[in-house]
Amino acid sequence: MNESVRDEDSRNMEEAFRACEDCRTMILETRQALLDARYRVVGPAGPEEEATRKVRATPVDWTRELESDLRALYNIINARIDRFTAAVLHHCDEYANERNEIQLGHVAGTFKWGVWVNTAKNPRLKVVEMPQLGVTLDIPKQIALANVALRVQHRSGPASDEFFWRCGNQWMAVGGVLVVDLLALPPGAKKVRGWTLRQVTALASNVQRVPYPIPPAGADPLTWQSEEEPPPMGVTAPLPPDVVLLQDPLQVAWWDEPHQIWNVDGISNVAYDPATNYVSFHTTHLAPLALVMSRTRLLPYKRWNVRPTGGRNGNSAAVTLDCGLDEPVVIEVSIKTATLSSPTWPQLQSLLGVAMPPLDLLQALSDRGLHLLPEDRDAAAAGVMVKERATEEAMCKDLALLGGVFLMASSRWNQTAAPDEALARLSEVADWEEGGRTLPQHVTRIFDKEKEDGERRVLAVMRRGVKGVAFCDALDKREEYPRLPGTESVEAVKACGETIFGEVHASVLTLLRGQFAVPGAAESPLALRLSASSESLELARTTSPLFTATLAQTMMALRLFSFS
């Protein structure tokens, strides 16, 4: 193939962005596999499963490999766009209009690409508009006089933030990423006797980024540093219509590659126009730019509860999160699916009432700015102590068994407990003949009152690491946290054997049978108060395992015990 044919192929916009969309499809699939790997294992494994797990990759191994795959796919997209841009700049004279202006723009799915070549070197030029992208740039005089090209890429939609998994601070991009680059121009073409002569340099196949502020002639662009803050560039760009803006005040940041963080230094005058859904700001850094939100904006959860919604013998439950918003986040979980019920904001209309796998729903919410997929790295910014993974998984699996029969709620003492302990409160639904008190107002009233006796009494349960689950006296109304006896000494172990509180059982179902080994427990009023009815236990045993697995996965993905 000769050089001219290769150049024509490299400049084919449709082909270039079709390849990028193909990579983006693979990114979405890999991202889903990453979520599945992170939340695949729920609860303690049996002996056979444990033996199998030892000879296969752990969830941590899988996540590292998949994150590496994601970086590779993003690099392919970036390299393909760079190669395409280089080919266009190599032939930029062919795109000049009658006024010798060179400006191109292209929109392909979630990719928007535009380039402006500075042919005039006009010091009076103040604004560069890219109508195909909806982007307006207020350029400093230094750029208006420079022999450069200005490239703008706007990547929106799911997985547009390629830096999410490697970001070292608390920020995440919302509404996509706007990449602004200054690029060196290749030597211009010459017309000689009807021939067009082009000098083929490295810039014919790859771009060369020009730092800003632009180094003076003769300076090494890799080492030169300006002693003064450069004049900022003004940027005005559209936001997708389905983005929720929760960060107050709004914050824009630029990607700081050396430090692997979203950096807010050099960003000023951030403004949002709700009438046009445009954001504007000034920046002294030309790099990937984004409207950012703290990943811990909704953390820690102030309260949460789970209530059955399918009636007697039902297989559905609503998970309600109080995140300090004007509406609670309510997700209804059923067999293999989860459905968003609240908030009912316009930006979330495409998700409301749509059943989908729970991880898909939580990822879709995150893409829109409602991030409810916390990770261990978020703990410090959220001000919480992460629970041990085995404890958290086991607690989610235990409580999911009760999801169709019991009301469940967060415990104020959960973060006070040790990392290998997780706490929650339970209340048995015992009046199914009357419809069951499972409405939101019933849940609030029951857990606010915290009755210790009667039909709607509230119990506190604790997961004690891999050992099992136990009752404890840690109701929210207690003024101090009533710690259970530990196992750090002979006296502590002996104390464990003398009280119902702290007696460990293999699962929450065996615990709720009320059969304790403590001497005299059979005649103890406390044992009777802590036990559930045989009908409720039978309903829990016959609840669909597909529903309980879905509920457990949802609770684990939300990290209810590490972040509440």
Side-chain angles (χ1 to χ4, degrees):
M1 183 183 293
N2 62 42
E3 189 71 29
S4 63
V5 174
R6 281 200 298 269
D7 283 353
E8 193 65 36
D9 289 343
S10 297
R11 287 185 286 150
N12 187 316
M13 291 188 184
E14 297 295 338
E15 180 183 327
F17 286 102
R18 190 182 307 117
C20 292
E21 280 292 343
D22 289 344
C23 271
R24 179 176 171 273
T25 299
M26 296 178 67
I27 285 171
L28 293 176
E29 293 173 353
T30 305
R31 184 178 72 161
Q32 188 60 47
L34 177 60
L35 281 178
D36 291 340
R38 185 167 286 155
Y39 302 111
R40 176 189 304 152
V41 179
V42 179
E48 294 182 2
E49 184 181 350
E50 185 63 36
T52 304
R53 192 185 301 173
K54 289 179 180 178
V55 297
R56 71 185 183 200
T58 66
V60 174
D61 295 331
W62 275 111
T63 56
R64 287 174 180 167
E65 290 182 16
L66 291 167
E67 287 173 358
S68 176
D69 292 341
L70 284 169
R71 285 193 293 272
L73 288 167
Y74 282 117
N75 288 339
I76 291 172
I77 290 177
N78 295 332
R80 185 66 182 91
I81 292 179
D82 281 351
R83 190 166 68 250
F84 161 71
T85 303
V88 169
L89 293 179
H90 189 54
H91 293 263
C92 63
D93 57 290
E94 298 179 10
Y95 300 99
N97 61 18
E98 62 278 4
R99 297 191 298 274
N100 198 35
E101 297 171 339
I102 302 174
Q103 183 170 318
L104 297 171
H106 187 74
V107 178
T110 61
F111 290 92
K112 296 180 181 180
W113 172 93
V115 67
W116 167 78
V117 179
N118 190 7
T119 56
K121 316 296 189 299
N122 183 355
R124 294 189 298 274
L125 181 66
K126 304 294 184 184
V127 176
V128 173
E129 294 183 349
M130 295 187 171
Q132 297 96 329
L133 283 66
V135 173
T136 300
L137 304 174
D138 300 318
I139 62 172
K141 185 176 180 179
Q142 187 184 40
I143 294 177
L145 295 174
N147 185 41
V148 293
L150 191 60
R151 180 179 63 177
V152 177
Q153 303 173 66
H154 192 191
R155 305 179 187 181
S156 60
S160 56
D161 181 7
E162 66 175 280
F163 313 109
F164 179 87
W165 293 274
R166 53 192 175 105
C167 182
N169 58 7
Q170 79 273 24
W171 299 113
M172 61 177 279
V174 291
V177 176
L178 188 73
V179 186
V180 182
D181 293 314
L182 281 180
L183 303 178
L185 290 176
K190 296 180 179 180
K191 303 283 188 179
V192 179
R193 297 180 182 180
W195 291 84
T196 300
L197 304 181
R198 303 183 193 279
Q199 183 178 347
V200 178
T201 67
L203 295 179
S205 57
N206 204 355
V207 298
Q208 178 183 324
R209 290 168 176 81
V210 177
Y212 182 76
I214 301 173
D220 184 350
L222 297 178
T223 59
W224 180 82
Q225 291 186 346
S226 175
E227 296 180 356
E228 298 179 357
E229 184 81 0
M233 173 184 285
V235 180
T236 302
L239 288 175
D242 58 357
V243 172
V244 178
L245 302 179
L246 297 178
Q247 194 69 36
D248 187 22
L250 292 179
Q251 183 64 64
V252 172
W254 55 279
W255 179 250
D256 186 343
E257 182 65 27
H259 297 97
Q260 297 283 289
I261 61 171
W262 283 108
N263 197 327
V264 300
D265 295 340
I267 303 292
S268 59
N269 300 335
V270 179
Y272 170 69
D273 184 354
T276 60
N277 201 35
Y278 271 66
V279 63
S280 60
F281 56 92
H282 287 90
T283 175
T284 58
H285 297 273
L286 302 190
L289 299 156
L291 194 66
V292 293
M293 179 189 76
S294 172
R295 293 192 306 272
T296 61
R297 169 63 180 81
L298 304 178
L299 303 173
Y301 306 123
K302 296 181 182 302
R303 285 174 296 275
W304 60 263
N305 66 68
V306 180
R307 57 185 179 86
T309 56
R312 193 177 189 276
N313 294 319
N315 290 305
S316 64
V319 180
T320 300
L321 307 173
D322 180 356
C323 301
L325 303 173
D326 57 0
E327 295 184 44
V329 177
V330 182
I331 298 172
E332 181 148 346
V333 179
S334 187
I335 295 175
K336 293 187 176 182
T337 65
T339 306
L340 181 69
S341 301
S342 174
T344 56
W345 302 331
Q347 300 94 326
L348 303 178
Q349 287 301 310
S350 61
L351 297 179
L352 285 169
V354 180
M356 62 184 77
L359 295 181
D360 290 9
L361 175 60
L362 293 174
Q363 185 62 73
L365 288 171
S366 178
D367 291 336
R368 287 159 175 78
L370 203 68
H371 185 63
L372 297 168
L373 286 167
E375 304 171 47
D376 289 358
R377 61 174 172 161
D378 300 322
V384 299
M385 173 186 59
V386 172
K387 300 295 182 180
E388 292 182 1
R389 182 180 176 92
T391 297
E392 194 166 16
E393 289 179 345
M395 189 62 160
C396 291
K397 184 175 182 180
D398 270 335
L399 294 190
L401 297 172
L402 309 177
V405 188
F406 281 71
L407 306 177
M408 298 179 281
S410 54
S411 166
R412 67 176 288 206
W413 303 113
N414 178 62
Q415 279 292 313
T416 307
D420 64 345
E421 298 174 334
L423 279 81
R425 293 175 295 156
L426 311 175
S427 183
E428 181 181 356
V429 179
D431 53 354
W432 294 111
E433 291 77 9
E434 301 172 17
R437 288 176 172 80
T438 60
L439 295 177
Q441 60 267 29
H442 297 148
V443 179
T444 300
R445 186 166 59 249
I446 287 171
F447 286 110
D448 282 351
K449 289 185 176 180
E450 274 195 329
K451 291 183 178 178
E452 297 187 52
D453 294 292
E455 194 175 65
R456 284 179 285 281
R457 63 192 178 277
V458 174
L459 313 175
V461 296
M462 171 190 284
R463 183 76 201 188
R464 307 201 79 180
V466 297
K467 297 186 290 292
V469 64
F471 284 118
C472 61
D473 193 32
L475 295 178
D476 279 17
K477 64 184 178 182
R478 301 290 185 249
E479 294 184 2
E480 295 182 356
Y481 175 50
R483 295 186 181 276
L484 292 176
T487 56
E488 66 279 358
S489 66
V490 174
E491 291 75 15
V493 172
K494 183 178 179 181
C496 282
E498 296 174 350
T499 175
I500 290 176
F501 290 126
E503 182 175 307
V504 175
H505 291 249
S507 75
V508 71
L509 291 181
T510 57
L511 176 71
L512 289 168
R513 286 160 51 190
Q515 299 177 2
F516 302 100
V518 174
E523 295 79 28
S524 168
L526 177 60
L528 182 62
R529 178 167 68 82
L530 295 178
S531 63
S533 68
S534 57
E535 179 188 12
S536 292
L537 293 176
E538 184 59 27
L539 287 174
R541 291 189 189 95
T542 56
T543 301
S544 166
L546 293 177
F547 161 63
T548 59
T550 308
L551 180 58
Q553 185 184 54
T554 304
M555 296 171 70
M556 184 60 196
L558 292 168
R559 302 294 300 274
L560 293 182
F561 296 99
S562 284
F563 290 88
S564 70

